[in-house]
């Protein structure tokens, strides 16, 4: 297993942790942790998808990371400004 596969697996696990945490009411979809997990997983999966040439997954995960990233910016802007 190479580093890129490890990145892909860990990124997928982060997305699943966010999903399962939300489904079982351990993570609120409005929490910074939920957005952080989704952002990190989205970025990691974009990198992985680019490496294997899976353009549909690049598009999906780019949007996933972008939406989560926007929420993170809103959170930190509100918190520190």
């Amino acid at each position: 297993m190479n580093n890129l596969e490890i990145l892909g697996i860990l990124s997928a696990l982060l997305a699943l942790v966010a999903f399962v945490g939300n489904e079982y009411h351990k993570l609120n979809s409005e929490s910074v942790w939920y957005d952080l997990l989704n952002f990190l997983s989205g970025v990691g999966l974009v990198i992985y998808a680019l490496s294997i040439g899976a353009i549909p997954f690049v598009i999906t995960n780019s949007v996933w990371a972008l939406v989560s990233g926007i929420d993170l910016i809103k959170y930190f802007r509100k918190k520190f400004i």
Side-chain angles (χ1 to χ4, degrees), residues 36-52:
L36 182 62
L37 287 170
N38 279 303
F39 176 75
L40 293 174
S41 69
V43 170
L45 288 170
V46 166
I47 293 167
Y48 180 73
L50 282 169
S51 75
I52 64 170

Side-chain angles (χ1 to χ4, degrees), residues 11-69:
S11 298
L13 288 174
L14 287 177
L16 292 172
V17 165
F19 172 72
V20 172
N22 183 257
E23 285 294 310
Y24 286 94
H25 307 288
K26 302 297 180 188
L27 271 178
N28 182 330
S29 64
E30 300 299 317
S31 77
V32 69
W33 291 107
Y34 180 80
D35 287 325
L36 182 62
L37 287 170
N38 279 303
F39 176 75
L40 293 174
S41 69
V43 170
L45 288 170
V46 166
I47 293 167
Y48 180 73
L50 282 169
S51 75
I52 64 170
I55 301 306
F57 295 110
V58 170
I59 294 167
T60 302
N61 288 297
S62 293
V63 172
W64 192 299
L66 179 66
V67 170
S68 298

